[in-house]
Amino acid sequence: MRRRRQWLAVLLAGMMLAGSALPVYAQEEMLEAPVESGSAQSAAASYALAADEEGWNGTWQRTPQEIMDYLNELGDAVYGSYEMTFDEEPSTSVPYAPGKLSLETQQHALDTLNAIRYIAGIPADVTYNESYAERAQAGMLVNYVLDELAHEPSKPADMDDALYQLGFSGTSSSNIAWASWSGRSLSETLIYSWMEDGDMDNIPMVGHRRWLLNPDMGQTAFGMVDGDKGTYSAVYVFDYSGTSTENYYDVAWPARVMPTEFFGEDFPWSISTGTYQDESQVQVNLVQNRTGQEWNFSASGSDGEFYVNNGGYGQTGCIIFRPDNLSYKPGDTFQVTVTGLSGGRTLQYPVLFFDAETGAGADGTVKEGWIQEDGEWHFYENGTQVMSGWVSVQEEDPYNGNQIGKVWYHIGANGTPGKMDTGWIEDETGWKHYYLDTNGRMMHDVWANAQEQPAIGMPEGLYYLQSDGSVQMNGWAQFSEGAWLFCRPGDGLVQLENPDNWASRKLW
């Protein structure tokens, strides 16, 4: 099973911002297809809809199982867990050399891009282009040397003109990004920079996202140069070589079935319709089915941010909205309704969020707290099953006079992830020991006759469990009014048969 990943990325454009105690910056630039080239405009025209068409074709929807199978086949690299390697290292000083990313690194990034496209329901068969790789790599060298993120960079004074022109062709045809730290993977940049597109300079267009979700893309390649100046990354996007004969429109992110690993709660939502849209006419309604919370978006006022962009970023006619105060859990479903589309069209579709790593929420059910499954009790937090560690709930506490309070349980310590534990539990330091009752609850402020646990050196016998639930390992503990028993150093066992280990009054 894949490890849950912690992503460290702060996306910005046109500005820099400290994101943590360490200086963590990221920046990206966006480009629009030149109108005179005709490529974006002609591609958009191919997705034009008749007035009586209903919009999204439901057969494009992936099932949660299909998505999980697809991601599992690709493996950990699709989430960014790989080392960036080069077949030829870049030279960032004279004599300059662009270097060459390894084919393995290119493939990992390409797998992530195709996974994104697969989730979105568009062709996921984009292949590697060597010429694009040379341009993207040279472009990132130019940006790195200048220490500037630019689609149209100036020429470094000491750089060969042919190398500069090759780099310019890359920067002017690619999504590009910069992060202040070295070694950021291309898959992380794909998911948490270009597909996020949520900073104030990018959210009005989400252009990086739209280029990556352009159904007509058939080939691409990546470039990267990193070092003391940070990580400069590129993905070549000016490509319309896809061979699919199907018209794809209303391409949405989040997709209709959306892994939470690919979409954060603060990401903007977008729908690329493929045809011109009039912002003054478009209205969006978003409803969270579990809570009934509702958001509305239009040019006259919105419960969040709202934009309509008809620029040539892949597909035209993009509707963008970001709900205020949105939170979701695996299993949450939403209903999206868009009215006022060109030709009087209305679009309505559901969105399901689920955890592709564990499958949580794949059935459209948000699970919380203790749930009995196959005769075993499992605990869920935020819709995801807890596989190990302590969890707490508010319930009657049998060891505190049956008062309502916080009761602790432990999960997964005895070799079965996700299973509720009973009996002995040793903390990670090996210093404290706990004894859970037959219902899995932490016992505290109580004497307990415990079973033997040789693995952690605890004999069978009588123990005192303190207010924090841990065994008292040494000294006197009150057994009853006026009677005190001595807990043996090292394991806390009380030996009642030994008169030296009990007293009728506390010893001062």
Side-chain angles (χ1 to χ4, degrees):
M1 180 172 293
R2 289 187 295 272
R3 301 181 302 279
R4 181 72 62 182
R5 281 165 188 84
Q6 300 295 319
W7 302 101
L8 302 174
V10 179
L11 174 64
L12 302 167
M15 60 184 293
M16 294 195 302
L17 176 70
S20 69
L22 295 174
V24 178
Y25 307 112
Q27 195 173 20
E28 64 181 29
E29 290 287 333
M30 182 160 50
L31 71 162
E32 184 173 356
V35 173
E36 60 269 22
S37 73
S39 58
Q41 300 302 324
S42 61
S46 70
Y47 305 120
L49 302 175
D52 60 349
E53 289 184 355
E54 293 299 323
W56 169 65
N57 178 349
T59 61
W60 296 356
Q61 178 174 314
R62 313 293 189 191
T63 68
Q65 190 61 55
E66 286 173 338
I67 292 173
M68 286 189 287
D69 290 345
Y70 187 96
L71 296 177
N72 283 330
E73 185 174 346
L74 293 176
D76 279 0
V78 73
Y79 293 102
S81 291
Y82 56 90
E83 181 181 357
M84 305 290 293
T85 59
F86 291 84
D87 287 340
E88 300 172 14
E89 290 287 340
S91 174
T92 57
S93 59
V94 178
Y96 294 117
K100 183 178 182 180
L101 282 168
S102 69
L103 288 178
E104 181 181 34
T105 295
Q106 291 276 2
Q107 187 62 54
H108 289 333
L110 187 60
D111 285 345
T112 301
L113 173 59
N114 277 320
I116 290 167
R117 294 170 64 87
Y118 183 86
I119 293 165
I122 61 176
D125 54 0
V126 179
T127 58
Y128 170 74
N129 182 299
E130 179 73 21
S131 174
Y132 293 170
E134 292 173 355
R135 299 182 205 181
Q137 188 62 34
M140 292 307 92
L141 175 66
V142 174
N143 275 188
Y144 187 93
V145 170
L146 295 172
D147 199 13
E148 175 191 16
L149 193 68
H151 284 298
E152 298 182 349
S154 58
K155 179 181 176 296
D158 54 358
M159 181 175 285
D160 176 77
D161 187 64
L163 177 57
Y164 165 69
Q165 292 297 335
L166 182 64
F168 191 95
S169 72
T171 58
S172 59
S173 303
S174 302
N175 283 352
I176 59 179
W178 170 80
S180 67
W181 62 98
S182 175
R184 188 192 200 200
S185 80
L186 289 164
S187 292
E188 291 174 293
T189 300
L190 278 164
I191 297 171
Y192 283 89
S193 286
W194 294 319
M195 287 303 294
E196 178 181 0
D197 254 4
D199 63 275
M200 293 312 300
D201 286 326
N202 287 313
I203 190 174
M205 304 83 78
V206 294
H208 303 95
R209 177 188 294 180
R210 288 158 66 189
W211 279 120
L212 299 178
L213 293 180
N214 177 17
D216 274 353
M217 179 185 280
Q219 294 185 321
T220 191
F222 299 82
M224 189 195 74
V225 175
D226 70 341
D228 294 340
K229 297 177 182 179
T231 302
Y232 285 82
S233 305
V235 54
Y236 196 96
V237 296
F238 274 13
D239 178 89
Y240 289 88
S241 65
T243 59
S244 174
T245 59
E246 188 168 1
N247 285 341
Y248 291 89
Y249 50 86
D250 298 336
V251 178
W253 200 258
R256 279 75 177 175
V257 178
M258 190 70 216
T260 57
E261 293 90 340
F262 287 79
F263 194 88
E265 292 179 341
D266 58 346
F267 284 27
W269 297 45
S270 65
I271 309 165
S272 292
T273 64
T275 190
Y276 177 87
Q277 301 298 335
D278 183 348
E279 182 173 3
S280 67
Q281 299 300 310
V282 175
Q283 298 185 38
V284 179
N285 174 258
L286 176 68
V287 178
Q288 186 175 31
N289 294 323
R290 175 174 57 89
T291 65
Q293 187 172 359
E294 185 173 355
W295 296 264
N296 289 286
F297 306 88
S298 69
S300 61
S302 297
D303 300 320
E305 296 173 72
F306 174 71
Y307 309 91
V308 173
N309 184 272
N310 290 295
Y313 305 100
Q315 286 184 302
T316 191
C318 188
I319 299 160
I320 305 149
F321 53 99
R322 178 159 58 188
D324 286 337
N325 304 315
L326 173 71
S327 64
Y328 63 78
K329 302 173 182 179
D332 260 330
T333 59
F334 292 78
Q335 189 76 7
V336 179
T337 303
V338 186
T339 57
L341 294 172
S342 60
R345 188 169 63 93
T346 294
L347 171 67
Q348 187 173 66
Y349 63 91
V351 174
L352 164 68
F353 287 100
F354 78 105
D355 189 308
E357 182 177 5
T358 65
D363 61 355
T365 301
V366 177
K367 296 180 178 179
E368 288 294 305
W370 288 108
I371 296 177
Q372 192 171 26
E373 299 169 317
D374 300 325
E376 300 284 354
W377 286 98
H378 298 147
F379 193 82
Y380 289 81
E381 286 181 342
N382 296 321
T384 303
Q385 185 179 352
V386 176
M387 305 308 288
S388 65
W390 292 101
V391 297
S392 66
V393 296
Q394 292 291 120
E395 61 181 38
E396 284 193 357
D397 183 352
Y399 304 106
N400 191 26
N402 283 327
Q403 299 178 26
I404 298 295
K406 185 178 291 187
V407 178
W408 289 90
Y409 297 80
H410 198 279
I411 295 171
N414 294 325
T416 306
K419 183 177 180 180
M420 181 174 63
D421 297 312
T422 60
W424 285 108
I425 298 295
E426 182 179 58
D427 76 354
E428 60 185 14
T429 68
W431 180 254
K432 288 188 175 183
H433 297 84
Y434 304 85
Y435 195 74
L436 311 181
D437 69 14
T438 55
N439 289 310
R441 295 171 295 210
M442 174 195 282
M443 303 172 70
H444 58 96
D445 293 316
V446 67
W447 290 90
N449 282 301
Q451 301 298 312
E452 179 185 23
Q453 178 52 277
I456 58 175
M458 303 300 283
E460 179 181 4
L462 183 65
Y463 296 85
Y464 179 63
L465 303 171
Q466 303 174 93
S467 59
D468 69 351
S470 65
V471 173
Q472 179 168 316
M473 291 296 205
N474 187 25
W476 295 95
Q478 188 173 18
F479 183 75
S480 61
E481 185 64 31
W484 293 75
L485 300 178
F486 188 79
C487 302
R488 187 168 70 183
D491 58 21
L493 178 68
V494 172
Q495 295 175 295
L496 290 176
E497 70 280 3
N498 186 344
D500 293 334
N501 288 318
W502 59 269
S504 59
R505 61 184 180 83
K506 186 172 182 180
L507 302 181
W508 299 95

